[in-house]
Amino acid sequence: MSIALSAAVALSAALSAVPAQAGESTSDLGNCTATACHFDVPPGTYDVKVLLGGEADSSTAITGETRRALLPETAVAAGERVARSFTVNVRTPEGEPTGAAGTAGLDLTLGGSAPALADIRVTPARHARQIFLVGDSTVCDQPGDPYYGWGQRLPQYLRKGLSVANYADSGESTVTYLGNPQLWATVQPQIRRGDLVLIQLAHNDKTTDEATYRANLEALVAGVRERGGEPVLVTPIVRRWFSSDGTLNNGTALLVNGLGVDHPAVARSVAAAEGVPLIDLTAKTKALVESLGVEGSKSLYLYNEKRDNTHTSVRGATAYAGLVRDELLAQGLVPEGLVRVG
């Protein structure tokens, strides 16, 4: 038995000897092995409190469901314990809305260079705020390596009380997202007053004319507002497609389709006209990719693995999720106390 697991078992026994106070959850460590935890809970939103650490130096990260990053790697010195909390959305299907159902309940995976879980408690979340994600394959919970969407990496930047419900789906345009009952018709009824809905759709609107694209964004904005939520338009991440001058100043990189529709420009225009917050992820990812250059930016995408300049690696998805986190904070869209920085 590993040192980390031995410490976990010992602490679990000590905790079980202490009577729980009224309304206080008891330890759920019995649902865990040294590398994973499973909880038979119905779809919903749950608060997870963990106690990290063991007899030796440890470093633990937690992912869950379809490879979502829920807690960044956290180092704990030998013999010490550190408490962390986060809120997680459990749904079916657990990943992409049109994908496989996945495993029922809540599944968590312990990672990091030296994982050590001393205790864990899972309780239904009360008054949690959701961030719904409406998007495509660059945003979604990708089911397998080496693919990652930025929405899949966003939860690790959030604290207890704020969770991500990622309803982004591979291959979707504004047309198909609105038209598929598994997508917008499923998301909209779940939106509650105060929830954020981040909308990034453009990569697959290759044949959508400008009037239709604009009308579709407006329809999504109106639909969020009908439910009392707050829509946020997000311009699409750039494609890693360099011009000869070392910039991304071309239609392929900046999401201008074959009909000449400048998707980021339309999103900016709709945001201004509708008074909607805008995260200009096109501009921010462009600046980052150009700063890294032709070679340095390859690792943000799946160029080395797949010669893919559209979909992001774990490094790229994590970096782009960080850009979104920064904008949520800078624009006051989420309270500072609910966001992890640094």
Side-chain angles (χ1 to χ4, degrees), residues 23-25 45-50 70-72 83-89 121-131 154-164 334-341:
E24 180 181 327
S25 63
T45 304
Y46 295 87
D47 290 332
V48 180
K49 182 177 181 179
V50 296
L70 298 173
L71 188 71
R84 292 288 186 270
S85 298
F86 55 87
T87 302
V88 60
N89 174 255
R121 301 183 183 193
V122 176
T123 55
R126 313 244 180 240
H127 312 299
R129 189 180 181 190
Q130 296 273 29
I131 298 179
L154 182 61
Q156 67 185 311
Y157 293 124
L158 308 179
R159 298 182 186 275
K160 176 185 173 183
L162 186 60
S163 71
V164 173
V334 296
E336 289 185 12
L338 294 181
V339 179
R340 300 181 198 278
V341 295

Side-chain angles (χ1 to χ4, degrees), residues 78-142:
E80 296 185 1
R81 301 290 185 269
V82 171
R84 292 288 186 270
S85 298
F86 55 87
T87 302
V88 60
N89 174 255
V90 176
R91 60 183 183 272
T92 302
E94 69 178 22
E96 295 182 85
T98 63
T103 305
L106 170 61
D107 287 285
L108 303 175
T109 301
L110 308 178
S113 59
L117 178 66
D119 191 33
I120 184 168
R121 301 183 183 193
V122 176
T123 55
R126 313 244 180 240
H127 312 299
R129 189 180 181 190
Q130 296 273 29
I131 298 179
F132 288 92
L133 302 183
V134 169
D136 53 36
S137 60
T138 66
V139 185
C140 75
D141 287 349
Q142 289 281 359

Side-chain angles (χ1 to χ4, degrees), residues 104-233:
L106 170 61
D107 287 285
L108 303 175
T109 301
L110 308 178
S113 59
L117 178 66
D119 191 33
I120 184 168
R121 301 183 183 193
V122 176
T123 55
R126 313 244 180 240
H127 312 299
R129 189 180 181 190
Q130 296 273 29
I131 298 179
F132 288 92
L133 302 183
V134 169
D136 53 36
S137 60
T138 66
V139 185
C140 75
D141 287 349
Q142 289 281 359
D145 283 325
Y147 294 89
Y148 287 88
W150 64 255
Q152 198 167 19
R153 305 296 292 175
L154 182 61
Q156 67 185 311
Y157 293 124
L158 308 179
R159 298 182 186 275
K160 176 185 173 183
L162 186 60
S163 71
V164 173
N166 191 349
Y167 281 85
D169 195 69
S170 294
E172 305 300 341
S173 66
T174 57
V175 176
T176 61
Y177 203 95
L178 283 165
N180 188 332
Q182 293 176 281
L183 300 172
W184 183 237
T186 297
V187 175
Q188 189 191 21
Q190 299 182 61
I191 300 169
R192 298 180 301 180
R193 185 166 300 279
D195 287 340
L196 288 179
V197 183
L198 276 56
I199 302 164
Q200 186 216 278
L201 287 166
H203 278 272
N204 300 300
D205 280 281
K206 298 181 176 71
T207 60
T208 309
D209 62 71
E210 183 168 340
T212 302
Y213 184 65
R214 177 181 293 272
N216 289 343
L217 291 182
E218 291 170 345
L220 289 165
V221 166
V224 174
R225 285 174 165 168
E226 280 177 21
R227 298 289 302 171
E230 182 170 7
V232 180
L233 289 179

Side-chain angles (χ1 to χ4, degrees), residues 43 61 69 101 141 149 170 239 252 302 312 337:
D141 287 349
S170 294
R239 297 189 182 101
T252 299
L302 297 178
T312 47

